[in-house]
Structures are given as structure tokens and as C-alpha cells.
Amino acid sequence: MDYYPMPLFVKLSVENMDYSLKWYNEVIDFKSIFELPDKEGNTIMAHIRGEKY
């Protein structure tokens, strides 16, 4: 993926992180760039991006 500067970041809160990451990947082809795990290893925050415009 070609990394590019982003002029704006949107922050969303979701009920189910695994389902949401899968949906963003399969439906609109966003890729996870970084995921922050909690102490149990569950993703609690993810930075996702689409392809460069």
C-alpha cells in the first residue's frame, strides 16, 4: 500500500472490533495499518486506510 499524508482522521466507536475490521476490509477494501491490543491480546484500536485517492 502506498502511504500518504492524511488531512483528516475520523474516529469511530464500534461494538464488535473483529466484525468491524472484517467488514471494512471485505466491503470497502480498507486495510489495517496498526492495531493496538489490550492485555488479553484483543484489538481495542485500529488504524485502517483505503488506497490512495
Side-chain angles (χ1 to χ4, degrees):
M1 174 180 285
D2 183 24
Y3 293 99
Y4 53 91
M6 295 187 62
L8 174 69
F9 290 92
V10 176
K11 181 178 173 183
L12 302 173
S13 178
V14 297
E15 294 276 332
N16 184 318
M17 182 66 78
D18 292 332
Y19 176 83
S20 298
L21 287 173
K22 182 178 177 187
W23 186 89
Y24 277 99
N25 180 255
E26 292 177 359
V27 176
I28 56 178
D29 200 33
F30 275 29
K31 307 293 186 229
S32 182
I33 303 302
F34 172 79
E35 295 182 17
L36 178 68
D38 63 12
K39 291 180 182 179
E40 289 79 38
N42 302 308
T43 301
I44 58 171
M45 190 279 296
H47 180 133
I48 58 176
R49 284 190 179 192
E51 289 294 322
K52 185 175 180 181
Y53 43 87

